[in-house]
Amino acid sequence: MNKPITEFIEKYFLHFNAASVVDAAKGYEAQLNSGAKMLVSLAGAMSTAEIGKIFAEMIRQDKVHIISCTGANLEEDIMNLVAHSHYKRVPNYRDLTPEDEWDLLEKGLNRVTDTCIPEEEAFRRLQKHIFAIWKKAEENNERMFPHEFMYKLLLSGVLEEHYEIDVKNSWMMAAAQANLPIVVPGWEDSTMGNIFASYVLKGELKASTMKSGIEYMTFLADWYTENSDNGIGFFQIGGGIAGDFPICVVPMLYQDMERTDTPFWSYFCQISDSTTSYGSYSGAVPNEKITWGKLGIETPKFIIESDATIVAPLIFAYLLKM
């Protein structure tokens, strides 16, 4: 079997952060081989970085069992699906003046580092379709989670005429087809969350139509309880709420629910460039999580201090034997 990326990593990634990449990948693989499940958290703008090109295959090959992601990652994968040709790269983004940035705004181009998301073709193209789904659910007295509405949108086929990339490169479509569980903490601060709130302010939708973050936490608690017999690993891409929210389910169950038979996370890896000494929770070394009742002494723990847009695809390629 030809595995050029896997073989390259094993041959040359021997020390320091490079060695951590190999160790973490092998640890992830060992979890799967032992029958454990894996949670992957997506922070930052990983969807705009087109992580779907490889992450979708991870989902299809059953190497991811639940996802925690920001509202931005939830929607931006679909935006890339329907508006890819309208995105604009700005390689010289460090040289932009405030006037240059204003010009991008007036052109409807919202910048994420070197990539501009087209407002009209991305946000507004989704808005009319998702509003119709929200409204119909409300009329039927149905309540759903943010990701469930997005699954409904994708599986309805209403966006197909707008596809601009191969649909197999959309991790959200792969997740929707697998009906993969997702938790989306803090969804309200995403573009679609803002749009939903605007309809609530205008009296066109009720806030209660959208299930809440507390309901996501209780859903996650039930899912963890039902799936932890062989262990559940935690693979964290970036920091922030996408990771902080789900990892807390273990001490909540153990301490607050007094379910003292709740197992710790069985594996932990974080790819991060955050700095621990600044008091950053996102940059905290894994051992700190022992003191919070999230990881055990024996939990395999890895931290890779690097760029997630480089490292995550390499680890996924290793796991996919590419």
Side-chain angles (χ1 to χ4, degrees):
M1 183 178 178
N2 191 26
K3 303 182 291 182
I5 299 175
T6 299
E7 290 168 0
F8 179 90
I9 290 171
E10 288 184 324
K11 182 175 181 178
Y12 296 108
F13 282 30
L14 303 175
H15 302 282
F16 319 132
N17 267 316
S20 296
V21 171
V22 179
D23 293 342
K26 289 182 175 179
Y28 192 134
E29 190 171 52
Q31 287 287 297
L32 298 180
N33 290 341
S34 71
K37 296 187 182 298
M38 189 65 71
L39 178 147
V40 173
S41 74
L42 295 177
M46 294 303 295
S47 288
T48 292
E50 299 187 64
I51 192 69
K53 284 190 168 184
I54 192 164
F55 193 46
E57 189 61 24
M58 287 283 290
I59 294 169
R60 283 190 289 270
Q61 292 198 23
D62 196 32
K63 298 182 186 298
V64 182
H65 305 98
I66 187 169
I67 294 169
S68 173
C69 71
T70 57
N73 275 302
L74 188 76
E75 66 197 15
E76 287 176 13
D77 178 81
I78 305 174
M79 291 174 184
N80 180 58
L81 175 63
V82 301
H84 182 78
S85 68
H86 299 276
Y87 279 61
K88 178 180 173 61
R89 274 206 72 219
V90 187
N92 63 327
Y93 66 93
R94 290 182 178 85
D95 302 327
L96 296 178
T97 65
E99 290 76 18
D100 294 331
E101 304 278 21
W102 185 262
D103 183 54
L104 290 172
L105 170 66
E106 291 193 318
K107 290 176 179 175
L109 294 168
N110 304 131
R111 185 170 69 82
V112 181
T113 312
D114 70 344
T115 303
C116 294
I117 302 174
E119 183 169 330
E120 195 61 37
E121 293 82 5
F123 304 133
R124 305 307 165 195
R125 187 165 283 175
L126 295 190
Q127 181 177 351
K128 63 179 181 180
H129 295 298
I130 197 67
F131 173 74
I133 293 172
W134 290 336
K135 192 66 178 173
K136 185 174 181 181
E138 185 167 297
E139 290 168 352
N140 293 333
N141 292 315
E142 295 177 329
R143 302 180 65 244
M144 296 185 212
F145 285 119
H147 79 277
E148 291 177 315
F149 280 116
M150 291 299 200
Y151 280 2
K152 207 171 185 68
L153 174 67
L154 284 168
L155 297 176
S156 72
V158 296
L159 296 177
E160 284 184 18
E161 63 179 300
H162 302 300
Y163 288 177
E164 295 195 354
I165 63 169
D166 190 329
V167 72
K168 72 176 174 48
N169 292 329
S170 165
W171 72 261
M172 270 294 289
M173 181 60 86
Q177 291 170 339
N179 195 27
L180 199 72
I182 299 183
V183 294
V184 191
W187 175 76
E188 300 82 2
D189 82 348
S190 66
T191 299
M192 289 298 125
N194 289 175
I195 288 171
F196 182 86
S198 75
Y199 286 120
V200 173
L201 287 167
K202 290 184 288 189
E204 297 180 41
L205 289 171
K206 297 174 186 173
S208 58
T209 299
M210 191 67 62
K211 288 188 176 181
S212 70
I214 293 297
E215 289 168 290
Y216 260 136
M217 182 58 83
T218 57
F219 163 78
L220 179 60
D222 288 340
W223 187 92
Y224 192 94
T225 301
E226 292 165 7
N227 288 274
S228 57
D229 285 351
N230 294 317
I232 302 174
F234 198 105
F235 187 81
Q236 182 172 346
I237 300 175
I241 195 171
D244 299 348
F245 180 94
I247 203 168
C248 293
V249 75
V250 169
M252 184 193 76
L253 288 168
Y254 189 101
Q255 298 169 14
D256 304 321
M257 293 296 293
E258 299 182 350
R259 296 182 189 171
T260 53
D261 58 343
T262 300
F264 296 119
W265 294 97
S266 60
Y267 161 99
F268 178 80
C269 174
Q270 180 178 2
I271 307 167
S272 175
D273 59 0
S274 185
T275 306
T276 307
S277 63
Y278 295 155
S280 161
Y281 179 71
S282 295
V285 295
N287 279 355
E288 184 177 296
K289 292 173 173 58
I290 295 174
T291 73
W292 289 91
K294 298 166 183 174
L295 306 179
I297 294 172
E298 305 300 328
T299 306
K301 308 171 190 72
F302 308 93
I303 187 162
I304 305 165
E305 294 175 315
S306 189
D307 182 338
T309 62
I310 297 171
V311 172
L314 287 172
I315 290 179
F316 293 159
Y318 184 97
L319 294 166
L320 294 168
K321 305 301 179 189
M322 298 174 71

